[in-house]
Amino acid sequence: MKYILAMDYDNMGFDADGAGDYWYTDTNYMDMDSEEEALSYLQKNICYEGGKKVNNKTIKEYCDEFAGIRFYERKY
């Protein structure tokens, strides 16, 4: 069984036809081998804007607190 951690982020693009710089939302999908691996990644890499670490203990807490984080189980 595999797991997918999906995280939305702001990205910047450029339209050379006159619109110039623009912002859009993109999604980063990461394959994880276990729920523990995904939780460890979130605990090491997710922080508040000021740099303060998030002290959530479960993946569900991260998904509930940050609308741009989703976690899926991939069944074969």
Side-chain angles (χ1 to χ4, degrees):
M1 189 171 323
K2 286 279 194 179
Y3 299 90
I4 306 296
L5 184 60
M7 294 186 296
D8 296 337
Y9 63 96
D10 293 332
N11 206 352
M12 191 169 104
F14 180 77
D15 182 356
D17 292 332
D21 293 337
Y22 64 93
W23 289 93
Y24 63 97
T25 300
D26 208 349
T27 304
N28 183 28
Y29 296 94
M30 295 184 294
D31 289 332
M32 301 287 178
D33 292 323
S34 67
E35 291 183 50
E36 292 79 15
E37 180 184 1
L39 180 59
S40 177
Y41 177 86
L42 292 169
Q43 289 173 331
K44 290 177 186 172
N45 295 290
I46 302 299
C47 61
Y48 295 109
E49 277 192 34
K52 181 182 173 196
K53 284 291 199 181
V54 180
N55 292 322
N56 291 341
K57 304 288 187 222
T58 67
I59 295 170
K60 182 179 180 339
E61 289 175 351
Y62 280 95
C63 293
D64 289 345
E65 187 165 350
F66 300 96
I69 298 176
R70 295 172 310 286
F71 187 67
Y72 304 99
E73 182 179 308
R74 177 181 280 172
K75 297 180 182 180
Y76 295 100

